[in-house]
Amino acid sequence: MTDNWTVVVGIKQVPDEDDVTIDPDTGTLNRAEAAAILNPPDRNALEAALQLKDEVGAEVIAFTMGPPTATPVLELAVALGCDDAALISDMAFAGSDTWPTSLTLAYAAEYFDADVGIFGEETTDSSTGQVPPGIAAHLDWAQLTYVADLDPRPEDNQLLATRDVEGGHEVVAADLPVIVAVGYGDNDPRPAGLHRKLYAETEFEPMELDAEALGIDPDEVGLDASPTQVGGMDTADPVEREQEVVDSVEDLAAAMAEEGAV
Amino acid sequence: MPEVDVDEYSDIWVFIEEHAGEVAPVSWELLAEAKKLMDEKPDDEELVALAIGSDLEDVAEEAIARGADRVLVADDPIFEPYRADPYGKQFRELVAERKPDIALIGGTTTGRDFAGRVAVPTHAGLTADCTQLGIDDEGHLEAGRPAFGGNVVATIKCENHRPQMATIRPGVFEPLDRDDTRDGEIEYVDVVVTEEETVTEVLEREVGETADITDADRVVAAGGGIEGDTGPIERLAEALDAEVAASRKAVDEGWMPHARQVGQTGKTVRPELYVAVGISGAVQHLEGMNDSDVVIAINNDPNAPIFDHADYGIVGDLFEVCDELVAALEEADDPQEVLA
Ligand SMILES: Cc1cc2nc3c(=O)[nH]c(=O)nc-3n(C[C@H](O)[C@H](O)[C@H](O)COP(=O)(O)OP(=O)(O)OC[C@H]3O[C@@H](n4cnc5c(N)ncnc54)[C@H](O)[C@@H]3O)c2cc1C
Ligand SMILES: Nc1ncnc2c1ncn2[C@@H]1O[C@H](COP(=O)(O)O)[C@@H](O)[C@H]1O
């Protein structure tokens, strides 16, 4: 292959977990008031993509499917070093669960003619981890999840990955095109450079893609195309804990003995 | 959307995750729980174990002994070690041919990789990392999963698509004891994948410890605070006759093996005693240990959230507290009592 690789990175804006509160009266979650941040595992996805850019000169495009208010995460991606970024937004996408979300992102990966699609391990708001394998399945591409490290082999048109498996790791070679989900915390994300940051904040405007631009039939996405429904949200009874802070190790040992724990 | 005729679908399938003949314990946990769900299903339906791998004779027999009515075995060297593409294709074929109503998969890294891959082509509804399973009056699977540190349980249903799929966290359900007198049918299915069609190749695989911490009565768990020195928690664990576990931070830093990780992306433990050492108490961690009987926290930050989720806490440097605690426990009136 002579062309540079095109790498797309999927990122999502999520409510800051530390900010999500539960209304003690209604038992509902106050997500709306929480600050919006980049899904923390997606930081690792961006870093893995930017490393491919450093290593093989790949062009890196970040995208997010979400409302226009998600634009700040795209600016952050560009500030970190992505070449470009796209907002994938359409009323037709509203209410999508992982099935239509992965379908939409699969179309987006094809739209950019991607060789590699890099994603985070999971989102902190829906935490399914299903979107990246779902994209790979829609496209019938190779998939590499829980990836700790990538080793590009453009001469073989392959991407090698070290991935975490239960109790160890494995090295897998995948033929391009391929979908990667990077393990959360598995690399050290770089900070944004000052120059890039300025550009992202002042000049940069993300591309905007709607269903039509991506060639998506609105019936394929959104709530109606979502196989799962939330049947109910129950507040679990919080586990009652003594919450007693003792002053000495002797008291701790005594408390443990009293509980019959030792 | 292509509507499916949900009435054409029957049986509960459990994916038996197996690596080189070693079965992930969550597979047996799921078989046991699925057997309970079978009580809510029509009598002519079966509990089916699905085993994909190589040289699976023993695995298939054990699946019967652990509760399956039938085992579907796809046995071929192509399936060892696990790869998403050949496993996915084989599964899709079997689903298209046999139309299972429910398919349950362990929430391990392999199980999640596999479930995400296969749910899409079948347009199945897939719920991630459940801790509760039930069947409602209309026969739909109700998959419950905790959110926000276990403060909320969301119940997910899938009414119009089949199969209804879920991944389930390891350690939540109890496996059945092996009973070799049980009857069941072992059926070898056609292998539909060839090496030429695969797009991945496993070049190297190194698997060390696959400890099972989910059965332990006592657990001492290490967090970021241990700074790479596992000595204090190992000594404390020994004094308490406890299993050693870890937060994700301690695992990501490489101080502790992944098999010992507790939490949303690790295992669920419910010991009599859980000692969190140098662990902050992030929601993802709490979800894996909230059902412990007694929780002890050792942390040098009085504001660490873990203290709100502990019965007894001590504010102090773990490098001092652990060893002092070991000494205090050993001084207890009767050492036998300590270890009883
Ligand atoms: C998608 C996703 C999935 C996740 N899944 C999991 C999971 O399954 N399990 C999990 O555990 N986490 C999980 N996490 C990570 C979680 O959010 C936290 O980052 C993690 O639990 C932090 O681990 P920790 O508390 O051990 O480390 P830290 O956050 O580093 O906290 C260390 C604690 O030790 C204390 N300390 C430091 N030095 C000392 C000392 N000398 N003596 C006493 N105390 C000391 C500090 O006060 C602090 O409270 C997940 C995160 C995400 C985004
Ligand atoms: N709406 C979205 N837009 C872009 N990427 C997404 C979106 N949702 C999920 N992803 C990607 O898929 C990963 C896994 O998400 P999930 O399956 O929702 O846990 C995330 O870390 C992102 O990289």
Side-chain angles (χ1 to χ4, degrees):
Chain A
M1 247 185 64
T2 48
D3 291 344
N4 276 348
W5 286 4
T6 299
V7 176
V8 294
V9 196
I11 59 177
K12 190 181 177 191
Q13 193 179 53
V14 297
D16 187 349
E17 283 201 329
D18 298 337
D19 246 17
V20 176
T21 52
I22 297 191
D23 187 317
D25 298 326
T26 61
T28 50
L29 297 171
N30 276 328
R31 285 195 195 190
E33 282 159 39
I37 57 166
L38 174 68
N39 176 43
D42 295 349
R43 254 305 205 348
N44 299 112
L46 285 166
E47 176 59 29
L50 293 169
Q51 285 180 12
L52 286 184
K53 183 178 169 68
D54 298 342
E55 285 163 33
V56 297
E59 185 188 14
V60 179
I61 302 164
F63 54 55
T64 189
M65 166 180 157
T69 48
T71 305
V73 298
L74 298 174
E75 287 172 1
L76 175 56
V78 168
L80 289 169
C82 292
D83 297 292
D84 211 339
L87 177 71
I88 302 165
S89 200
D90 200 308
M91 285 308 288
F93 300 145
S96 290
D97 73 358
T98 53
W99 196 95
T101 299
S102 48
L103 181 74
T104 305
L105 298 178
Y107 273 100
E110 279 193 317
Y111 176 89
F112 289 109
D113 201 11
D115 300 288
V116 182
I118 304 192
F119 299 85
E121 177 178 322
E122 56 179 56
T123 48
T124 51
D125 63 342
S126 60
S127 56
T128 72
Q130 289 162 9
V131 166
I135 298 168
H138 277 298
L139 295 166
D140 203 18
W141 290 5
Q143 80 185 41
L144 300 164
T145 56
Y146 302 97
V147 166
D149 198 24
L150 289 174
D151 178 3
R153 298 287 170 91
E155 63 285 2
D156 300 325
N157 211 25
Q158 280 193 331
L159 186 62
L160 267 55
T162 305
R163 55 185 301 267
D164 300 326
V165 292
E166 261 71 37
H169 71 271
E170 62 179 19
V171 179
V172 185
D175 298 340
L176 298 191
V178 57
I179 296 296
V180 174
V182 179
Y184 172 53
D186 277 347
N187 57 29
D188 291 319
R190 65 192 67 189
L194 193 58
H195 187 71
R196 247 349 250 179
K197 209 170 155 184
L198 232 84
Y199 163 76
E201 280 167 13
T202 53
E203 281 169 60
F204 166 75
E205 288 286 338
M207 283 177 262
E208 287 184 30
L209 297 170
D210 59 9
E212 195 186 345
L214 293 175
I216 298 175
D217 173 355
D219 285 346
E220 287 181 297
V221 290
L223 191 63
D224 290 343
S226 299
T228 57
Q229 298 101 36
V230 178
M233 278 275 203
D234 296 323
T235 24
D237 292 331
V239 192
E240 294 289 332
R241 295 285 174 205
E242 304 285 342
Q243 301 185 359
E244 191 179 321
V245 175
V246 301
D247 294 327
S248 71
V249 170
E250 286 69 31
D251 290 349
L252 188 61
M256 286 164 78
E258 200 163 301
E259 285 283 350
V262 290
Chain B
M1 277 299 99
E3 288 291 319
V4 298
D5 182 358
V6 299
D7 296 329
E8 280 180 17
Y9 290 72
S10 61
D11 300 343
I12 301 183
W13 284 16
V14 171
F15 175 64
I16 306 300
E17 179 182 337
E18 162 289 330
H19 301 280
E22 200 164 316
V23 176
V26 65
S27 314
W28 305 143
E29 295 162 19
L30 295 187
L31 262 186
E33 186 63 16
K35 205 165 156 47
K36 290 188 198 155
L37 295 179
M38 288 303 289
D39 293 342
E40 315 290 321
K41 302 277 286 169
D43 286 342
D44 59 343
E45 295 201 10
E46 285 187 312
L47 175 53
V48 178
L50 172 65
I52 303 177
S54 182
D55 290 329
L56 294 175
E57 207 171 311
D58 295 346
V59 172
E61 274 167 20
E62 185 164 358
I64 301 282
R66 299 273 191 178
D69 300 319
R70 175 182 299 273
V71 192
L72 297 181
V73 187
D75 199 318
D76 193 284
I78 197 170
F79 297 127
E80 187 58 51
Y82 166 84
R83 282 175 293 170
D85 42 328
Y87 270 61
K89 178 152 192 230
Q90 183 71 42
F91 183 83
R92 268 181 342 251
E93 283 282 321
L94 288 170
V95 167
E97 184 189 310
R98 297 170 188 250
K99 301 189 167 41
D101 186 40
I102 292 173
L104 305 176
I105 295 164
T108 58
T109 48
T110 298
R112 288 197 205 97
D113 184 83
F114 173 69
R117 178 90 186 182
V118 297
V120 153
T122 51
H123 209 143
L126 170 59
T127 309
D129 296 345
C130 304
T131 57
Q132 292 170 19
L133 294 173
I135 292 190
D136 73 7
D137 300 341
E138 289 158 59
H140 298 303
L141 180 71
E142 292 184 310
R145 59 183 314 233
F148 297 94
N151 288 315
V152 177
V153 177
T155 303
I156 315 288
K157 285 195 204 184
C158 161
E159 295 185 347
N160 303 319
H161 294 269
R162 292 294 179 272
Q164 307 167 82
M165 289 181 48
T167 58
I168 291 94
R169 290 191 196 167
V172 175
F173 300 118
E174 281 289 314
L176 291 172
D177 287 333
R178 191 177 170 141
D179 173 2
D180 286 303
T181 64
R182 280 190 45 108
D183 281 331
E185 207 158 319
I186 297 176
E187 185 184 342
Y188 283 77
V189 302
D190 289 340
V191 171
V192 296
V193 231
T194 60
E195 194 55 54
E196 290 73 56
E197 325 166 75
T198 62
V199 287
T200 51
E201 185 188 355
V202 178
L203 305 177
E204 215 181 290
R205 195 177 157 90
E206 229 174 279
V207 179
E209 198 193 19
T210 50
D212 191 9
I213 56 170
T214 61
D215 280 342
D217 291 334
R218 296 173 192 172
V219 171
V220 174
I226 69 162
E227 299 284 353
D229 181 358
T230 54
I233 59 132
E234 275 163 11
R235 290 191 288 275
L236 182 56
E238 196 181 286
L240 287 168
D241 194 19
E243 277 284 350
V244 170
S247 73
R248 177 155 175 167
K249 169 90 177 179
V251 171
D252 282 348
E253 293 288 343
W255 306 331
M256 299 284 283
H258 179 79
R260 294 184 182 271
Q261 182 183 316
V262 170
Q264 188 205 316
T265 44
K267 289 180 173 142
T268 299
V269 295
R270 37 187 56 146
E272 289 157 20
L273 175 71
Y274 189 86
V275 189
V277 184
I279 291 180
S280 61
V283 289
Q284 294 94 347
H285 186 79
L286 298 174
E287 282 184 17
M289 47 67 79
N290 245 340
D291 288 336
S292 308
D293 288 343
V294 177
V295 175
I296 308 278
I298 301 172
N299 199 304
N300 62 6
D301 174 4
N303 297 318
I306 190 74
F307 287 120
D308 295 335
H309 303 272
D311 293 293
Y312 301 99
I314 185 162
V315 180
D317 182 359
L318 71 91
F319 294 99
E320 290 163 17
V321 173
C322 284
D323 288 335
E324 285 170 28
L325 188 57
V326 170
L329 291 168
E330 277 164 3
E331 258 171 39
D333 336 336
D334 179 0
Q336 273 322 104
E337 198 176 291
V338 173
L339 295 176

